[in-house]
Amino acid sequence: MKDFDDAPSFDDFDEIEYPRPEENDFDAIVENAISRRGFMNVMAMGTATFVTGAAGFGKPASAAGRFGFEQVAATTADTVTVPTGFSAHSVVNWGDPLWSNAPEFDWSVRGTPEQQAMAFGDNNDGMTVFTIDGRTVLVINQEYVNRDIANAHRESKLPETDDDVLKGMLAHGVTVVELTQNEGKWTPVKDSPYNRRITPQTEMKIEGPAAGSDLVKTSADPNGTLTRGTWNNCANGETPWGTYLACEENFNGYYSSSDPDIEISGEKKRYGIGVKDWGYGWAQIEDRFDIAKEPNESNRNGYVVEIDPSDPYSTPIKRTALGRFKHENAEVVINGDGRVVVYMGDDERGEFVYRFVSDESYAVGGDTSQLLNKGTLYAAKFYENGRGKWMALTPETTQMSAAEIAVNTRMAGSKVRATTMDRPEWVTSHPNRAEIYVALTNNKNRGIKPNAGGDATPVGGANPREGNKYGQIVRWTPDRGDHTAEGFEWNIFVLAGNPAVHSDNRAGSGNVNAGNMFNSPDGIAFDNNGILWIQTDGNYGNKEDFEGQGNNQMLAADPDTGEIRRFLVGPLACEVTGLSFSPDRRTMFVGIQHPGEKGYDSHWPGGGDTVPRSGVVAVTRDDGAVIG
Ligand code: FEO
Ligand code: CA
Ligand code: CA
């Protein structure tokens, strides 16, 4: 990478302290990363000894872990597989009615708009379980719709009528649903006062630097402060003041143009907005999704949306200060000085990792309404020498206005030459120390082609493999343990791979073996015990480069030893995504998304000839002990 040549004085200091490696090959990069002085300081808190493994990388020296379960084998079974001594049961699935007066779902037509509006949506993703007035309330994203499954009764396998389109639209958004546990089993509480469906039609406020700017004004909202709906909510976040953060990811795929010859702006191209949508057909029923008619509507999505689950009548707020990109999750950390720091990834090949730092400090019981409106956004540089630096996105550094930075955040990141990453997915913070992890899921373009903004994607540093098929998890420690610090030290926690098929860098790092291998880490989250849970959204073909890896899965990792152990395997063609715990920590809620996609013959969870349905499972220990 050439970043280092342009670095200012901060990095001149680094150059002296941490000389740039002469070699640039894979082994040298990971060896350099793993042996960094700062990293060893972190490791000294644990008991690990890293030795050079087959890929020149850290291998756990000890087989003794602190997981409390025996690893499950990879499998292609159409079920949820958990270790001996654990059980899993379905809690809620696509189409389950949330109110007693809701019509039962008609599976022959995959539901109607009226049924879907009062039922659990499709493709659940990130989630948080809250305790509100002593009740257990699940808030969960409904990311998107499996078009071919939701429209299986249509020859095109796509929405055809306006009702088909509306039914699909209403399967998106966020669901709030109270849960209760009877005889060990969790079920939804129909008619709970907390139950709520938030959809692409729910009124929402726009706040932060983009609010009121010309960039977000539309014919329906000439003031640029009030919008409708959230969709493609991927992962999530939660704040210490009890709100939920729904993160809008592939919002672009819902826009199309009635004018096939429309000129697409550079800004729209950077976000993947063009003449065709991804098969949802929303412009068929609402003009705002037609970019020829409403060019600014697409500037009103791609944000983090704050939702107060304690008030079912509250208006969700789009927090534009956190930037507009294909948000994965939003990991909220309260810094030592009380400022709110939010770590975020932009899940696209060659896009960036971001950090927001609030101007004001959080105080328990204080006013939190402006904390996520006022602050500074940063994009990350990862240098090859194991150092990193946060680049502020300001009018001075980007020659863009505050509103432009909030709306066209990717372009601001390019202006400061942030490091193009291998699709940043979830970011998560260690519960007991200043240490942040990011899942970089895969990137077939690494070293092959630039990102959509023309930024190069050189092989090296935190993205060390060309055409990266398997992904990696990178972690960093902020300088002085201060989440607002400019600098940090990073290293690679795990390079996923397949050591049964490959012996080069595609075998993965030393903590990957034929027994625990996986590809495409996506959801990552810590439990209270400091175990890092890894969920995958990867290739489930179980052949060639992925032979022996089975269906998508969830693994547990010990950040101190590097040990990784497979805990759960999902059903056929699913993605495992979303993780939260019951208030007593005796239940782990895990999300299963899109079983049976792409024509795979899944009938999870109903079995027989039932329609495959995304849903949430509750995992418990048979001895009733605390699970995380
Ligand atoms: Fe919705 Fe990046 O996963
Ligand atoms: Ca994801
Ligand atoms: Ca993913």
Side-chain angles (χ1 to χ4, degrees), residues 116-117 121-122 142-145 165-175 197-204 227-233 248 251 254-255 280 282 285-286 288-289 297 300-301 316 318:
Q116 184 60 74
D122 201 359
Q142 317 270 202
E143 187 181 23
Y144 66 100
V145 165
V165 173
L166 183 58
K167 173 190 74 179
M169 183 185 276
L170 296 174
H172 286 72
V174 177
T175 292
R197 280 302 321 278
I198 293 166
T199 74
Q201 299 185 341
T202 304
E203 187 174 272
M204 314 208 161
T227 186
R228 276 200 299 132
T230 186
W231 54 88
N232 215 288
N233 300 100
E248 298 176 337
F251 65 93
Y254 300 80
Y255 291 95
Y280 299 101
W282 289 8
I285 60 169
E286 285 198 53
R288 64 181 171 133
F289 297 106
E297 183 70 21
R300 293 145 65 90
N301 332 108
K318 300 214 171 187

Side-chain angles (χ1 to χ4, degrees), residues 28 47 76 92 141 162 184 193 206 292 313 452 476 488 515 521 532 586:
T47 54
T76 56
V92 61
N141 293 341
D162 288 1
I206 301 174
Y313 300 102
W476 66 88
F488 59 87
L532 178 70
R586 295 176 198 276

Side-chain angles (χ1 to χ4, degrees), residues 125 143-144 232-235 249-250 326-328 346-348 423-426 441 522 537 575 577 593:
D125 204 312
E143 187 181 23
Y144 66 100
N232 215 288
N233 300 100
C234 187
E249 191 186 20
N250 295 303
K326 294 190 179 180
H327 279 281
E328 189 69 22
D346 179 355
D347 180 8
E348 184 106 55
R423 296 185 55 200
E425 301 255 23
W426 294 39
T441 198
D522 184 339
D537 170 23
E575 159 185 354
T577 185
Q593 195 191 62

Side-chain angles (χ1 to χ4, degrees), residues 81 145 175 211 238 266 393 415 464 544 551 556 577 626:
T81 303
V145 165
T175 292
E238 57 196 89
L393 306 180
K415 288 270 182 74
E544 298 167 358
N551 296 345
T577 185
V626 168

Side-chain angles (χ1 to χ4, degrees), residues 580-600:
S580 196
F581 293 85
S582 62
D584 65 6
R585 315 293 293 188
R586 295 176 198 276
T587 300
M588 168 191 272
F589 295 99
V590 179
I592 301 294
Q593 195 191 62
H594 63 67
E597 71 163 7
K598 298 178 182 170
Y600 273 74

